[in-house]
């Protein structure tokens, strides 16, 4: 906030770290627009066990009479969000399937951010931008188009290289894993996939494993950095209940080396590292180091 004030920014986009009501970013007393993406179960020890409880925390970013933009939600979540918006007299814009389809038709294959789930996110961004336009900001359709096509967010289904093809994705909970699976179905149907997975201890690793395992020909587990990282060996034991070919790697570097070696022996194989964002930079560096050694 100090940085934004010092540089005189016209619009400051603030992402809550967790929830909303109790998040530090909620010191902001008035919003130009409050935006809520898909609400899923995460941080349950802090936000509650049900989607309704979590949604109540998310609605904590709503401010009196400030516009709200919502992504489509399950009924339980929508009821909580709309009820809070009504209490605060917030005008609500809801991104529906029709708006998502329009974005998909206009930007098929050209969105800067890849992944099937990004069409819904893009529709939400368009709705938020138009909300700002109504408040007098000089946004044109060209601005919106350029923004969608040039957006970059490393770690959100990002392509790292082609030899072999390597993608990283911060799918760190079941909702993210489901979105990753939808993208795999769309983009990599019929291709053998080597998955690298590393998650924190407080994540629902078993459920994530059940979702992704049907799409993975082979998997290797890694330990994300820090005290929260679930040890690779423990994650391997969890995944063994649903994945027929899984092993644990002593480091991210070894995991990437295994993936590169395997993929180079398979026709049209793809590597995907997913889970905690905290280790993806190491995975990218390990991939580049591996290719550099082989080039020499």
């Amino acid at each position: 906030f100090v940085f934004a004030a010092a540089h005189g920014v016209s619009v400051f986009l603030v992402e809550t770290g967790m929830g909303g009501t109790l998040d530090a970013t909620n010191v902001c007393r008035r919003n130009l627009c409050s935006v809520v993406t898909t609400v899923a179960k995460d941080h349950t020890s802090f936000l509650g066990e049900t989607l309704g409880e979590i949604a109540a925390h998310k609605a904590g970013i709503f401010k009196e009479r400030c516009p709200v933009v919502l992504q489509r939600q399950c009924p339980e979540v929508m009821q909580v969000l709309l009820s809070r918006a009504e209490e605060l007299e917030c005008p609500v814009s809801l991104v529906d399937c029709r708006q998502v389809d329009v974005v998909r038709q206009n930007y098929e294959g050209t969105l800067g951010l890849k992944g099937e789930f990004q069409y819904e996110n893009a529709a939400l961004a368009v709705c938020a931008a138009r909300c700002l336009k109504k408040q007098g900001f000089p946004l044109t359709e060209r601005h919106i188009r350029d923004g969608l096509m040039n957006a970059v967010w490393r770690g959100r289904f990002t392509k790292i290289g082609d030899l072999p093809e390597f993608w990283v994705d911060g799918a760190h909970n079941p909702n993210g894993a489901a979105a990753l699976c939808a993208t795999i179905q769309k983009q990599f149907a019929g291709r053998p996939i080597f998955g690298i997975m590393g998650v924190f201890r407080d994540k629902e690793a078993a459920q994530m494993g059940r979702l992704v395992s049907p799409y993975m020909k082979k998997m290797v587990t890694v330990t994300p950095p820090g005290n929260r990282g679930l040890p690779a060996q423990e994650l391997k034991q969890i995944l063994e209940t649903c994945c027929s070919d899984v092993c644990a790697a002593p480091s991210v570097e070894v995991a990437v080396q295994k993936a590169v070696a395997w993929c180079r022996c398979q026709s049209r194989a793809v590597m995907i590292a997913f889970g905690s964002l905290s280790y993806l930079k190491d995975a990218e560096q390990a991939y580049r180091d591996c290719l550099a050694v082989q080039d020499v």
Side-chain angles (χ1 to χ4, degrees):
F1 287 120
V2 172
F3 179 89
H7 289 76
V9 299
S10 56
V11 175
F12 192 30
L13 179 62
V14 182
E15 181 186 9
T16 57
M18 181 174 65
T21 304
L22 304 178
D23 192 80
T25 55
N26 209 25
V27 297
C28 181
R29 296 184 179 179
R30 181 168 178 81
N31 306 338
L32 293 168
C33 180
S34 298
V35 182
V36 180
T37 59
T38 303
V39 175
K41 283 190 176 183
D42 206 357
H43 305 294
T44 53
S45 59
F46 297 96
L47 305 180
E49 293 292 336
T50 69
L51 287 175
E53 291 173 320
I54 295 171
H57 277 278
K58 300 287 186 181
I61 65 171
F62 297 174
K63 303 298 188 294
E64 190 172 8
R65 296 188 179 88
C66 290
V68 168
V69 177
L70 302 178
Q71 206 160 42
R72 55 182 178 172
Q73 312 280 349
C74 70
E76 179 183 2
V77 169
M78 191 60 70
Q79 180 180 1
V80 173
L81 297 178
L82 292 178
S83 176
R84 183 57 177 162
E86 184 178 6
E87 288 176 19
L88 296 174
E89 300 181 34
C90 300
V92 175
S93 297
L94 179 62
V95 177
D96 57 24
C97 296
R98 181 185 59 82
Q99 292 164 296
V100 175
D101 288 341
V102 168
V103 169
R104 187 185 299 276
Q105 291 166 10
N106 290 338
Y107 297 96
E108 183 77 45
T110 64
L111 281 182
L113 299 177
K114 306 305 179 184
E116 282 300 294
F117 55 93
Q118 293 297 357
Y119 291 107
E120 288 196 15
N121 290 339
L124 189 71
V126 170
C127 190
R130 289 176 178 160
C131 178
L132 295 182
K133 185 176 181 179
K134 289 179 182 178
Q135 297 181 55
F137 289 90
L139 283 166
T140 66
E141 291 303 310
R142 178 59 183 271
H143 290 137
I144 294 173
R145 173 173 289 274
D146 287 349
L148 293 179
M149 295 179 69
N150 296 317
V152 176
W153 194 354
R154 296 191 71 78
R156 301 294 181 180
F157 201 70
T158 306
K159 189 176 185 181
I160 303 302
D162 287 297
L163 299 170
E165 192 170 334
F166 183 35
W167 295 77
V168 297
D169 186 47
H172 63 273
N173 58 27
N175 190 60
L180 175 60
C181 292
T183 298
I184 291 173
Q185 285 181 299
K186 178 76 173 181
Q187 296 194 21
F188 306 129
R191 298 178 65 180
I193 296 175
F194 190 114
I196 301 173
M197 181 176 175
V199 295
F200 286 157
R201 295 176 183 273
D202 59 343
K203 302 302 179 181
E204 297 180 69
Q207 187 176 349
M208 290 178 63
R210 286 192 293 272
L211 288 168
V212 302
S213 60
Y215 303 96
M216 302 293 173
K217 194 80 171 177
K218 188 176 181 66
M219 289 187 70
V220 61
T221 59
V222 297
T223 306
N227 294 331
R228 291 177 64 197
L230 179 66
Q233 189 62 38
E234 291 184 30
L235 179 56
K236 170 185 175 290
Q237 292 171 356
I238 292 172
L239 296 182
E240 282 176 333
T241 62
C242 57
C243 185
S244 60
D245 193 346
V246 57
C247 64
S251 68
V252 173
E253 291 76 15
V254 171
V256 170
Q257 290 166 7
K258 286 178 178 289
V260 169
W262 185 86
C263 286
R264 285 190 163 173
C265 297
Q266 308 288 325
S267 176
R268 302 175 65 242
V270 180
M271 295 168 53
I272 301 178
F274 66 97
S276 172
L277 285 161
S278 63
Y279 85 91
L280 297 185
K281 183 178 180 181
D282 293 337
E284 177 178 351
Q285 187 58 54
Y287 174 79
R288 301 197 187 285
D289 291 344
C290 188
L291 297 192
V293 170
Q294 293 180 0
D295 287 342
V296 171

